Each structure stands twice: as structure tokens, then as C-alpha cells.
Amino acid sequence: MSSSQSVRMALISSYVPRRCGLATFTHNLATAISEVSHAPLGDPRSGIRIVAMNDQPGAYSYDTEVIAEIHQQRRNDYRNAADIINTSRIDAVSLQHEYGLFGGDCGEHLFDLLDRLRKPLISTLHSVLSEPSPKQREVVERICATSSTVVVMVARAKMLLAEVYGVPTERIRVIPHGVPDVPFGDTEPFKKRFDVSNRPMILTFGLLGPGKSLETVIEALATVVPDHPDLAYIILGVTHPSVRREQGELYRLSLERRVVELNIQNNVLFHNHYVSDDDLREYLQAADIFVTPYRDKEQITSGTLAYAMACGKAVISTPYWHAQELLVNGSGRLVEFGDVQGFSDAIGELIADRGKRLSMQRAAYDRCRSMVWPNVGRQYVDALTEAIGSHAEQSAERPATRGARMRMSLPELCSDHLDTMTDDTGIFQHAVYGTPNRHHGYCSDDNARALIVASMGWSLFQDDRWLAHMDCYLGFLHYAHVPETNRFRNMMSYDRRWLDKEESDDCQGRVVWALGYLMSHAPSDSARQLATDLFRCAIPMIETLRYPRSWSLSILGLHYYLRAIPDDHAVRKVKIALADRLNAAFDVHEAEDWPWFENVVTYDNGRIPQALIIAGHQLDRADLVDRGLRTLRWLLEIQTAPQGHLSIIGNDGWLVRGEPRAAFDQQPLEAAALIAACKAAYRASGDRYWLDEMRRCLEWYLGKNDVGVSMVDFKTRGCFDGLKRTGVNHNQGAESLVSWLLSLAIMHEMQTGDAPEVGKTTAYSFRPELCQ
């Protein structure tokens, strides 16, 4: 396949109309490849397709070339995208990698796509770090190992990949950042549009944030303006979304404030908007000087720098790596990081010396002629063609595989019924069918569990819809706190009156569990601090709890607290004391045929072995882990029907030692506790038996139960309150809802989606490293 022939490829990246530099880059690259292949982008004959990365669900309206969308935090989306590519007529895939684009720790959700992809892959790395963290290194090494060819944009990146990441140099191609092909010419015709006619114009563009270090240029201009009072410095671009999310417009406001303090407000012009490619070219064609004062030495790629040089601008830049490589042979000026005087001298010199400025502009323009998009497009087509050929050879040598995996299509973790059941006070306890029953008000038990659900939803998917719920439930627990006793009230009427005469120990344990979980997964410092304050108030109370279930629930909270604050030795002692108490409770009643801590098995039973396993694993106590695993296995065995499905002990009599167990009513609470306990068991033991059991427990909700009916109402997205001999209890209250959501969230977290291979029983595709 020559570069003049059509190539059928998919690009995986962010994409227009999403407003980020990588989306624009990908659109330009796709357009260039389409033009090389003589089929315009968007034409049905074009072989270019896009898999678009989204930071918000449903936020962008894409053109027809987009064949799949991946929400960056939804792991199922990655695997679905791989399936779409695998079953399409696409010949090869081009992955555009940048940190922050993909979900998970350092973008590890991408593994779900790469592990499933069956098409030849080339990957473009837009950042290559010289000192990566262990996880960053792992991600890059996995991408490189999966790719036929790795593309970087500068020679230094190729050197780093070889020396730091061990990638063979013969598998690395240097293809420069593409640039527009514009004529070299006079700036004055373009200045009128921006109201800077007959003024020397300096430009910076891109998403604003502290890393841009624009304050360096502003300070420098204060000493240049007295000699060049007509100078205009345009700062073009909106604040980076992640900066705005964390800090608002503080950085931009600090720049504006300093401009006023220096009395150069007539010279520094903020154009606070995102511009199209066409508008950007006109800004660049109007500029005389382009500045990039960035502070990150390891910036390996700068599209703004490449674009400015291609438009024939005199460039003044700090010596980050891309600038060092591009600004050679008189095509620009390098100034040390943070050197205000250096920028002042360079700007003043280029404004005063028109001949020197024109010479630098021409050198920059000539330097980038080989980087225009049509040339870059041809190089990518050549790389893809080579990858297709090598992939075909490897496929011919690869033995045929048997026993294809079938994965479980997990339902979305949906907050619809949670929205229905929650008002501005908290989550209602009960429902009449799918409608909140206000007669029964609220309780801390349910608000604590709902807080964990909201925290898990945020942690897994980074979806803002969970944040309001999180704040609501945390606020309820804060109001439930009694400072005099450091206990938490439980029952509240609809008119916000506390109804408890005595707070239950189980409630205290659930609140401690929720607060600890939030400490370990908080989306903000303020939420983490409030959870920490409440938790620390509760520590003396924890030691007074009287019952094994409350100890178990508190151990879960202490576990997450110690993940957030591992050096708190006093809290560690509390955890050890509770674990010893729980362990000792078994000694009184346990026998070979009854590995339990009391003579009746009642509710939320999985939390007991879960606490033993987690405590033992964190405290390096094999005795606790072994007892927890043994107890959990017994719970699962006695709740297994002859047909093999989960059959939960009913609450109409429970299971009393020496007597037949109650078959109904079965509660969703128990399935949730068993799933969480199996997760802990797998993490502690590595035995895939527990993964099979997790799937079996989830299937109880979905109809694989004693009555053969679904416990989930997929119209309301609620969960029925119980399973009766005659069917479901049609009410959909808080306990059942949060139990279902907690179960589903853990399954998404663990990705318990793949069925066993043919002839095997314990071959699910899980990642132990994700079971944290």
C-alpha cells in the first residue's frame, strides 16, 4: 500500500469540537491523512474513523467520522471500542497518548482497550518523561509493547524512550508535529482585525495555567514599554479546564492584577476565548513576536511553538526540550527559565531591530517547511502501512486461540433512583413502590451507605453528578453527630426531629466505615477534612462498641482511615484491639461445622469475614485472614442452592444453629456484603475462586435466584426490597438501592466481566492491581 492509496484507519484521541490542543491536532492529522488518500474527511469513501475520548458524557456533537466514544472513566467503554474496531473494516489504529486523556491511575484504563485490540497499532506519545513514576513507566511500557511502531515528535523523545523505557530504537519513528501551510508575509494586513494596527504585536496562545509562567513576560514588559509605549502583548486563550475546576480564575486574575500594578494595562490585552484554527492563523499572521515562557523543562512537544514558527514568527522561549530542538540556526531566541531581564532584553532588541526580527522570522518559517500537514500525513500513512505488514506476518506465526472469553455486560452505575430517593436533607429510608415514603423519614445507616456509593461513583467515573449527593449525605452525618458523646444519632423524622432514645452500635459502625472511605476517596480537601474531623471525634466511641457487627463495620472504616493516614499509630492500635475482639468472639461458638461467632446467622453477614480478611491483610496477621477466608467460604456454601445459584438466608427466622434455615425473605443487603467480602478475599489470597463467587452474587440481583426474577427495576433504576417465595417485595427503599449500587460499583471497580475459558472454572479476566 503506497501513501497515495487509501488507508482505512482509526484514530483514538480527543476530537473536535472538544476544546483542547490534542483534539485539534487529531482533526488536522485525520484531515491530512484523508487528503493523502484522496478522500476528504467526512466523505463516505474516506477510510478515516475516530474513536473520541470524552471527559464528560454526551457533551460533544461529533461529525460522522466518529464511530465510537469513550468516557475516560468508564472502563467498559474502552472494551466496547476495541470490539467495534476489531469487527470493522479498519486496517490499523493510531493511538494519540497524553497524560490526563485516559482514565485510571496514569491512564491505565487504556489497558482494557489495548488488551482486546486485534488490529495493528501505532502510538504517538505527546509526552515522554525522563523520571516517570512507577505507574507512569508501566503505562508507557505497556503502550510501547503493544504497538508495532511508536511515534515521537523530537529526537530527544526517541533517546528517552530507548534509554529510560528500553524501547528498541528501530521501533521508534520521529514524525514532527504538523503545522499549517501559510504564506510568509507582512503582518500589518492582519493587525487591523485585532485593533493593533501599526503597533509591534507580541502573542502567546494556549490554555492558561501557572505552568505557562506568563507573569515572567508581564514583568519583562514593564521595562520594555517605556521605550516602546505602543507595544501590544495579546494573551490568547481560556483557562485550562482542570485549572479552572481546582482554582477558578485565580491565575488569570493574578496576571490582570499585576498588569494594573505595573501600569501596562494599555499594552497587555487578554483575549479570553477559544479560537478556531482559521482564527488562530490570523492571530499568528498578525504577530511580530511569539513568546513561550514555560517553566517545565521536560515539555517534549509544544504545538503552539510549532505553529508560531510555521507562520514565520520571531520566537523567544525558555529552553524546554522542544524549544531546544526547534530553535536552532537563528530561528529563535532561548532565555533561561524565569529570567525576567533576559526576556526584557530579547523583546526590546527584536522590536528595535527590524532587520534582525525579519531574519529570525524567515529562518523559523524555512525551518518548518518539512513539517506542514501534508508531509506529516504521508509519514503517518507510511508508518501505518508498515505496521499492517508486520502485523500480518505476526498473525501468520501466532497459533490460533481457543476458548474465547465472554464478558458480562455490567449495567451502568446509574443515580436515577438515588436522585428520586434523596432530598435536601438526605436519603429517605423507605419507598412505596418506587416513590419515597416520607412517613418514615431518614436514618444515618442509609445515609452512611449512600455516602460510600456516591464516593465510589466519583472515584470510579469522576462524574460531577455524584458530588451533590456526597455533600448531602456527609452533611446529614455531620448533623447526626452528638459532640457530648461523639456518637451519631440514627432515626430522623421527615420534619427533621431526631427520634432515637439510644443510638445503635451498628449505626456507629456504618458511619465510621463511610467516613473512613470518604477520607480515602474524597474529591476535595474540604470533604476529606470534614470526614477526618468527624472520624477523629468518633475514635474514643469506637472502643466502646459492644457487638461484633459494629466492630466489623468500624474495622472497615479504620482500614480506609489508615490508608489515608498510615502513620497514625494510635488508630492502628484501635484497629488491632477490635480485630482481636472479633477474632475472640469466634472462639466461644466456633466448631468444625459451625465457623461462626454466634449461634444464629442473621443479616449483613459478609461484613464479618470481610473485616477479618482486611484487618489481617493490613496488619500482616495470617490467623485473621485464614479465619476470614474459611468463614466466607462457609457462608457461600450454606447459601448455595442445589442448582448452583446464590440462595440467601431469609429474614423470616434466619439460620439458627441446628435448625433448617429460613428460605425467605431474602435481602439485597446480604448479596452486597458477600461481594465486598469476596473482593477482600481475592485481594488477600489471589485465588480466582472468589472472583467466580462475586459474579454469582451479582447474578442474584439479575434473576439467577430462587424465584428466577430480577431484583432490579430497570425503569426506575431502583432495587426491590426483598425476594419472597411469591416474587419480589415491590417497594424500592434506600437499603436495597444502596446495596445494589455498592455491589455494582465494586464489580465495575474490579471489572468482573469475563466468563471462564472453555473447560475451566476460574479464569475470569481481572487485574489484581485494580483491587485496591
Side-chain angles (χ1 to χ4, degrees), residues 551 555 572-587 612 615 619 621 623-624 627:
W551 304 339
I555 286 170
R572 184 179 176 87
K573 288 180 180 178
V574 174
K575 181 175 182 178
I576 292 170
L578 285 187
D580 286 338
R581 269 194 247 172
L582 182 59
N583 197 33
F586 277 79
D587 294 335
L612 286 170
L619 300 172
R621 290 270 304 274
D623 61 320
L624 298 178
R627 174 164 265 165

PDB file of all heavy atoms in Angstrom, residues 551 555 572-587 612 615 619 621 623-624 627:
ATOM      1  N   TRP A 551     -18.143  -3.850  65.406  1.00  0.00           N
ATOM      2  CA  TRP A 551     -16.681  -3.911  65.340  1.00  0.00           C
ATOM      3  C   TRP A 551     -16.228  -4.098  63.887  1.00  0.00           C
ATOM      4  O   TRP A 551     -15.279  -3.462  63.435  1.00  0.00           O
ATOM      5  CB  TRP A 551     -16.147  -5.077  66.175  1.00  0.00           C
ATOM      6  CG  TRP A 551     -16.549  -5.083  67.613  1.00  0.00           C
ATOM      7  CD1 TRP A 551     -16.974  -4.015  68.349  1.00  0.00           C
ATOM      8  CD2 TRP A 551     -16.585  -6.227  68.475  1.00  0.00           C
ATOM      9  NE1 TRP A 551     -17.268  -4.415  69.631  1.00  0.00           N
ATOM     10  CE2 TRP A 551     -17.034  -5.769  69.749  1.00  0.00           C
ATOM     11  CE3 TRP A 551     -16.289  -7.569  68.314  1.00  0.00           C
ATOM     12  CZ2 TRP A 551     -17.184  -6.628  70.836  1.00  0.00           C
ATOM     13  CZ3 TRP A 551     -16.434  -8.429  69.404  1.00  0.00           C
ATOM     14  CH2 TRP A 551     -16.885  -7.961  70.635  1.00  0.00           C
ATOM     15  N   ILE A 555     -13.959  -1.664  61.704  1.00  0.00           N
ATOM     16  CA  ILE A 555     -12.670  -2.105  61.148  1.00  0.00           C
ATOM     17  C   ILE A 555     -12.544  -1.666  59.690  1.00  0.00           C
ATOM     18  O   ILE A 555     -11.464  -1.235  59.244  1.00  0.00           O
ATOM     19  CB  ILE A 555     -12.521  -3.636  61.282  1.00  0.00           C
ATOM     20  CG1 ILE A 555     -12.229  -4.004  62.739  1.00  0.00           C
ATOM     21  CG2 ILE A 555     -11.409  -4.162  60.370  1.00  0.00           C
ATOM     22  CD1 ILE A 555     -12.300  -5.495  63.023  1.00  0.00           C
ATOM     23  N   ARG A 572      -4.143   2.746  64.662  1.00  0.00           N
ATOM     24  CA  ARG A 572      -3.750   1.369  64.340  1.00  0.00           C
ATOM     25  C   ARG A 572      -3.973   0.454  65.554  1.00  0.00           C
ATOM     26  O   ARG A 572      -4.438  -0.684  65.415  1.00  0.00           O
ATOM     27  CB  ARG A 572      -2.283   1.350  63.902  1.00  0.00           C
ATOM     28  CG  ARG A 572      -1.793  -0.034  63.456  1.00  0.00           C
ATOM     29  CD  ARG A 572      -0.325   0.055  63.008  1.00  0.00           C
ATOM     30  NE  ARG A 572       0.197  -1.249  62.658  1.00  0.00           N
ATOM     31  CZ  ARG A 572       0.098  -1.801  61.455  1.00  0.00           C
ATOM     32  NH1 ARG A 572      -0.529  -1.155  60.483  1.00  0.00           N
ATOM     33  NH2 ARG A 572       0.597  -2.995  61.210  1.00  0.00           N
ATOM     34  N   LYS A 573      -3.678   0.941  66.748  1.00  0.00           N
ATOM     35  CA  LYS A 573      -3.902   0.146  67.964  1.00  0.00           C
ATOM     36  C   LYS A 573      -5.385  -0.139  68.166  1.00  0.00           C
ATOM     37  O   LYS A 573      -5.760  -1.231  68.616  1.00  0.00           O
ATOM     38  CB  LYS A 573      -3.333   0.878  69.172  1.00  0.00           C
ATOM     39  CG  LYS A 573      -1.807   0.901  69.219  1.00  0.00           C
ATOM     40  CD  LYS A 573      -1.308   1.650  70.464  1.00  0.00           C
ATOM     41  CE  LYS A 573       0.211   1.676  70.501  1.00  0.00           C
ATOM     42  NZ  LYS A 573       0.705   2.439  71.685  1.00  0.00           N
ATOM     43  N   VAL A 574      -6.231   0.841  67.851  1.00  0.00           N
ATOM     44  CA  VAL A 574      -7.671   0.632  67.966  1.00  0.00           C
ATOM     45  C   VAL A 574      -8.107  -0.477  67.007  1.00  0.00           C
ATOM     46  O   VAL A 574      -8.902  -1.360  67.358  1.00  0.00           O
ATOM     47  CB  VAL A 574      -8.440   1.936  67.674  1.00  0.00           C
ATOM     48  CG1 VAL A 574      -9.952   1.672  67.651  1.00  0.00           C
ATOM     49  CG2 VAL A 574      -8.106   3.001  68.713  1.00  0.00           C
ATOM     50  N   LYS A 575      -7.576  -0.454  65.807  1.00  0.00           N
ATOM     51  CA  LYS A 575      -7.930  -1.478  64.829  1.00  0.00           C
ATOM     52  C   LYS A 575      -7.483  -2.860  65.306  1.00  0.00           C
ATOM     53  O   LYS A 575      -8.229  -3.843  65.184  1.00  0.00           O
ATOM     54  CB  LYS A 575      -7.304  -1.159  63.472  1.00  0.00           C
ATOM     55  CG  LYS A 575      -7.656  -2.171  62.401  1.00  0.00           C
ATOM     56  CD  LYS A 575      -7.134  -1.770  61.039  1.00  0.00           C
ATOM     57  CE  LYS A 575      -7.557  -2.790  59.988  1.00  0.00           C
ATOM     58  NZ  LYS A 575      -7.122  -2.441  58.641  1.00  0.00           N
ATOM     59  N   ILE A 576      -6.275  -2.942  65.856  1.00  0.00           N
ATOM     60  CA  ILE A 576      -5.779  -4.226  66.367  1.00  0.00           C
ATOM     61  C   ILE A 576      -6.680  -4.740  67.484  1.00  0.00           C
ATOM     62  O   ILE A 576      -7.038  -5.924  67.528  1.00  0.00           O
ATOM     63  CB  ILE A 576      -4.328  -4.076  66.860  1.00  0.00           C
ATOM     64  CG1 ILE A 576      -3.385  -3.804  65.672  1.00  0.00           C
ATOM     65  CG2 ILE A 576      -3.885  -5.315  67.628  1.00  0.00           C
ATOM     66  CD1 ILE A 576      -1.973  -3.417  66.081  1.00  0.00           C
ATOM     67  N   ALA A 577      -7.085  -3.834  68.378  1.00  0.00           N
ATOM     68  CA  ALA A 577      -7.932  -4.238  69.505  1.00  0.00           C
ATOM     69  C   ALA A 577      -9.277  -4.759  69.021  1.00  0.00           C
ATOM     70  O   ALA A 577      -9.782  -5.794  69.516  1.00  0.00           O
ATOM     71  CB  ALA A 577      -8.126  -3.057  70.454  1.00  0.00           C
ATOM     72  N   LEU A 578      -9.897  -4.078  68.043  1.00  0.00           N
ATOM     73  CA  LEU A 578     -11.185  -4.544  67.527  1.00  0.00           C
ATOM     74  C   LEU A 578     -11.037  -5.878  66.808  1.00  0.00           C
ATOM     75  O   LEU A 578     -11.898  -6.769  66.930  1.00  0.00           O
ATOM     76  CB  LEU A 578     -11.777  -3.503  66.573  1.00  0.00           C
ATOM     77  CG  LEU A 578     -12.376  -2.248  67.184  1.00  0.00           C
ATOM     78  CD1 LEU A 578     -13.063  -1.422  66.098  1.00  0.00           C
ATOM     79  CD2 LEU A 578     -13.371  -2.568  68.288  1.00  0.00           C
ATOM     80  N   ALA A 579      -9.960  -6.016  66.026  1.00  0.00           N
ATOM     81  CA  ALA A 579      -9.743  -7.275  65.309  1.00  0.00           C
ATOM     82  C   ALA A 579      -9.564  -8.431  66.289  1.00  0.00           C
ATOM     83  O   ALA A 579     -10.086  -9.539  66.071  1.00  0.00           O
ATOM     84  CB  ALA A 579      -8.531  -7.150  64.393  1.00  0.00           C
ATOM     85  N   ASP A 580      -8.852  -8.197  67.385  1.00  0.00           N
ATOM     86  CA  ASP A 580      -8.666  -9.242  68.401  1.00  0.00           C
ATOM     87  C   ASP A 580      -9.992  -9.595  69.062  1.00  0.00           C
ATOM     88  O   ASP A 580     -10.283 -10.775  69.345  1.00  0.00           O
ATOM     89  CB  ASP A 580      -7.645  -8.795  69.446  1.00  0.00           C
ATOM     90  CG  ASP A 580      -6.214  -8.829  68.916  1.00  0.00           C
ATOM     91  OD1 ASP A 580      -5.960  -9.573  67.937  1.00  0.00           O
ATOM     92  OD2 ASP A 580      -5.358  -8.122  69.480  1.00  0.00           O
ATOM     93  N   ARG A 581     -10.806  -8.570  69.331  1.00  0.00           N
ATOM     94  CA  ARG A 581     -12.114  -8.826  69.930  1.00  0.00           C
ATOM     95  C   ARG A 581     -12.985  -9.677  68.994  1.00  0.00           C
ATOM     96  O   ARG A 581     -13.653 -10.631  69.426  1.00  0.00           O
ATOM     97  CB  ARG A 581     -12.831  -7.508  70.212  1.00  0.00           C
ATOM     98  CG  ARG A 581     -12.565  -6.946  71.605  1.00  0.00           C
ATOM     99  CD  ARG A 581     -13.584  -5.855  71.885  1.00  0.00           C
ATOM    100  NE  ARG A 581     -12.939  -4.561  71.958  1.00  0.00           N
ATOM    101  CZ  ARG A 581     -13.597  -3.404  72.039  1.00  0.00           C
ATOM    102  NH1 ARG A 581     -14.917  -3.391  72.004  1.00  0.00           N
ATOM    103  NH2 ARG A 581     -12.944  -2.271  72.120  1.00  0.00           N
ATOM    104  N   LEU A 582     -12.982  -9.302  67.716  1.00  0.00           N
ATOM    105  CA  LEU A 582     -13.791 -10.038  66.751  1.00  0.00           C
ATOM    106  C   LEU A 582     -13.302 -11.476  66.616  1.00  0.00           C
ATOM    107  O   LEU A 582     -14.103 -12.427  66.568  1.00  0.00           O
ATOM    108  CB  LEU A 582     -13.734  -9.325  65.393  1.00  0.00           C
ATOM    109  CG  LEU A 582     -14.560  -9.918  64.257  1.00  0.00           C
ATOM    110  CD1 LEU A 582     -16.045  -9.958  64.623  1.00  0.00           C
ATOM    111  CD2 LEU A 582     -14.360  -9.110  62.962  1.00  0.00           C
ATOM    112  N   ASN A 583     -11.995 -11.626  66.587  1.00  0.00           N
ATOM    113  CA  ASN A 583     -11.409 -12.965  66.474  1.00  0.00           C
ATOM    114  C   ASN A 583     -11.778 -13.819  67.690  1.00  0.00           C
ATOM    115  O   ASN A 583     -12.132 -14.996  67.576  1.00  0.00           O
ATOM    116  CB  ASN A 583      -9.895 -12.838  66.338  1.00  0.00           C
ATOM    117  CG  ASN A 583      -9.244 -14.092  65.818  1.00  0.00           C
ATOM    118  OD1 ASN A 583      -9.821 -14.826  65.026  1.00  0.00           O
ATOM    119  ND2 ASN A 583      -8.016 -14.347  66.261  1.00  0.00           N
ATOM    120  N   ALA A 584     -11.727 -13.211  68.863  1.00  0.00           N
ATOM    121  CA  ALA A 584     -12.028 -13.947  70.102  1.00  0.00           C
ATOM    122  C   ALA A 584     -13.489 -14.359  70.171  1.00  0.00           C
ATOM    123  O   ALA A 584     -13.827 -15.396  70.773  1.00  0.00           O
ATOM    124  CB  ALA A 584     -11.662 -13.079  71.307  1.00  0.00           C
ATOM    125  N   ALA A 585     -14.380 -13.567  69.552  1.00  0.00           N
ATOM    126  CA  ALA A 585     -15.803 -13.909  69.576  1.00  0.00           C
ATOM    127  C   ALA A 585     -16.055 -15.250  68.903  1.00  0.00           C
ATOM    128  O   ALA A 585     -16.995 -15.981  69.271  1.00  0.00           O
ATOM    129  CB  ALA A 585     -16.612 -12.810  68.887  1.00  0.00           C
ATOM    130  N   PHE A 586     -15.240 -15.599  67.929  1.00  0.00           N
ATOM    131  CA  PHE A 586     -15.408 -16.880  67.256  1.00  0.00           C
ATOM    132  C   PHE A 586     -15.046 -18.051  68.176  1.00  0.00           C
ATOM    133  O   PHE A 586     -15.609 -19.140  68.050  1.00  0.00           O
ATOM    134  CB  PHE A 586     -14.533 -16.925  66.000  1.00  0.00           C
ATOM    135  CG  PHE A 586     -15.163 -16.276  64.799  1.00  0.00           C
ATOM    136  CD1 PHE A 586     -15.159 -14.899  64.650  1.00  0.00           C
ATOM    137  CD2 PHE A 586     -15.770 -17.046  63.814  1.00  0.00           C
ATOM    138  CE1 PHE A 586     -15.743 -14.300  63.542  1.00  0.00           C
ATOM    139  CE2 PHE A 586     -16.359 -16.462  62.706  1.00  0.00           C
ATOM    140  CZ  PHE A 586     -16.342 -15.083  62.563  1.00  0.00           C
ATOM    141  N   ASP A 587     -14.079 -17.836  69.051  1.00  0.00           N
ATOM    142  CA  ASP A 587     -13.598 -18.941  69.879  1.00  0.00           C
ATOM    143  C   ASP A 587     -14.701 -19.519  70.762  1.00  0.00           C
ATOM    144  O   ASP A 587     -14.677 -20.702  71.122  1.00  0.00           O
ATOM    145  CB  ASP A 587     -12.429 -18.475  70.751  1.00  0.00           C
ATOM    146  CG  ASP A 587     -11.202 -18.110  69.913  1.00  0.00           C
ATOM    147  OD1 ASP A 587     -11.092 -18.644  68.791  1.00  0.00           O
ATOM    148  OD2 ASP A 587     -10.382 -17.302  70.388  1.00  0.00           O
ATOM    149  N   LEU A 612     -12.371  -9.375  58.993  1.00  0.00           N
ATOM    150  CA  LEU A 612     -11.242 -10.229  59.392  1.00  0.00           C
ATOM    151  C   LEU A 612     -10.160 -10.260  58.320  1.00  0.00           C
ATOM    152  O   LEU A 612      -8.968 -10.148  58.613  1.00  0.00           O
ATOM    153  CB  LEU A 612     -11.749 -11.647  59.660  1.00  0.00           C
ATOM    154  CG  LEU A 612     -12.547 -11.877  60.947  1.00  0.00           C
ATOM    155  CD1 LEU A 612     -13.182 -13.261  60.928  1.00  0.00           C
ATOM    156  CD2 LEU A 612     -11.653 -11.711  62.174  1.00  0.00           C
ATOM    157  N   ALA A 615      -8.473  -6.716  57.948  1.00  0.00           N
ATOM    158  CA  ALA A 615      -7.613  -6.438  59.100  1.00  0.00           C
ATOM    159  C   ALA A 615      -6.362  -7.310  59.053  1.00  0.00           C
ATOM    160  O   ALA A 615      -5.236  -6.835  59.261  1.00  0.00           O
ATOM    161  CB  ALA A 615      -8.378  -6.676  60.401  1.00  0.00           C
ATOM    162  N   LEU A 619      -2.680  -5.824  58.700  1.00  0.00           N
ATOM    163  CA  LEU A 619      -1.851  -5.977  59.903  1.00  0.00           C
ATOM    164  C   LEU A 619      -0.854  -7.125  59.784  1.00  0.00           C
ATOM    165  O   LEU A 619      -0.124  -7.397  60.747  1.00  0.00           O
ATOM    166  CB  LEU A 619      -2.748  -6.216  61.120  1.00  0.00           C
ATOM    167  CG  LEU A 619      -3.758  -5.094  61.446  1.00  0.00           C
ATOM    168  CD1 LEU A 619      -4.702  -5.537  62.551  1.00  0.00           C
ATOM    169  CD2 LEU A 619      -3.041  -3.803  61.810  1.00  0.00           C
ATOM    170  N   ARG A 621      -1.528 -10.352  59.639  1.00  0.00           N
ATOM    171  CA  ARG A 621      -1.976 -11.380  60.599  1.00  0.00           C
ATOM    172  C   ARG A 621      -2.603 -12.524  59.809  1.00  0.00           C
ATOM    173  O   ARG A 621      -3.786 -12.488  59.438  1.00  0.00           O
ATOM    174  CB  ARG A 621      -2.983 -10.780  61.572  1.00  0.00           C
ATOM    175  CG  ARG A 621      -2.391  -9.788  62.564  1.00  0.00           C
ATOM    176  CD  ARG A 621      -1.933 -10.493  63.823  1.00  0.00           C
ATOM    177  NE  ARG A 621      -2.997 -11.259  64.451  1.00  0.00           N
ATOM    178  CZ  ARG A 621      -3.886 -10.752  65.324  1.00  0.00           C
ATOM    179  NH1 ARG A 621      -3.822  -9.473  65.660  1.00  0.00           N
ATOM    180  NH2 ARG A 621      -4.811 -11.530  65.868  1.00  0.00           N
ATOM    181  N   ASP A 623      -3.515 -15.367  60.838  1.00  0.00           N
ATOM    182  CA  ASP A 623      -4.594 -16.038  61.556  1.00  0.00           C
ATOM    183  C   ASP A 623      -5.941 -15.386  61.262  1.00  0.00           C
ATOM    184  O   ASP A 623      -6.959 -16.082  61.105  1.00  0.00           O
ATOM    185  CB  ASP A 623      -4.311 -16.040  63.058  1.00  0.00           C
ATOM    186  CG  ASP A 623      -4.211 -14.631  63.644  1.00  0.00           C
ATOM    187  OD1 ASP A 623      -3.621 -13.743  62.979  1.00  0.00           O
ATOM    188  OD2 ASP A 623      -4.708 -14.412  64.772  1.00  0.00           O
ATOM    189  N   LEU A 624      -5.955 -14.054  61.156  1.00  0.00           N
ATOM    190  CA  LEU A 624      -7.199 -13.355  60.845  1.00  0.00           C
ATOM    191  C   LEU A 624      -7.637 -13.629  59.408  1.00  0.00           C
ATOM    192  O   LEU A 624      -8.823 -13.865  59.143  1.00  0.00           O
ATOM    193  CB  LEU A 624      -7.028 -11.850  61.063  1.00  0.00           C
ATOM    194  CG  LEU A 624      -6.703 -11.389  62.488  1.00  0.00           C
ATOM    195  CD1 LEU A 624      -6.521  -9.874  62.522  1.00  0.00           C
ATOM    196  CD2 LEU A 624      -7.796 -11.811  63.458  1.00  0.00           C
ATOM    197  N   ARG A 627      -9.005 -17.247  59.065  1.00  0.00           N
ATOM    198  CA  ARG A 627     -10.341 -17.402  59.650  1.00  0.00           C
ATOM    199  C   ARG A 627     -11.383 -16.703  58.786  1.00  0.00           C
ATOM    200  O   ARG A 627     -12.489 -17.231  58.577  1.00  0.00           O
ATOM    201  CB  ARG A 627     -10.359 -16.841  61.065  1.00  0.00           C
ATOM    202  CG  ARG A 627     -11.747 -16.830  61.705  1.00  0.00           C
ATOM    203  CD  ARG A 627     -11.662 -16.637  63.199  1.00  0.00           C
ATOM    204  NE  ARG A 627     -11.685 -17.920  63.905  1.00  0.00           N
ATOM    205  CZ  ARG A 627     -11.350 -18.072  65.178  1.00  0.00           C
ATOM    206  NH1 ARG A 627     -10.920 -17.036  65.884  1.00  0.00           N
ATOM    207  NH2 ARG A 627     -11.425 -19.261  65.744  1.00  0.00           N
TER     208      ARG A 627
END
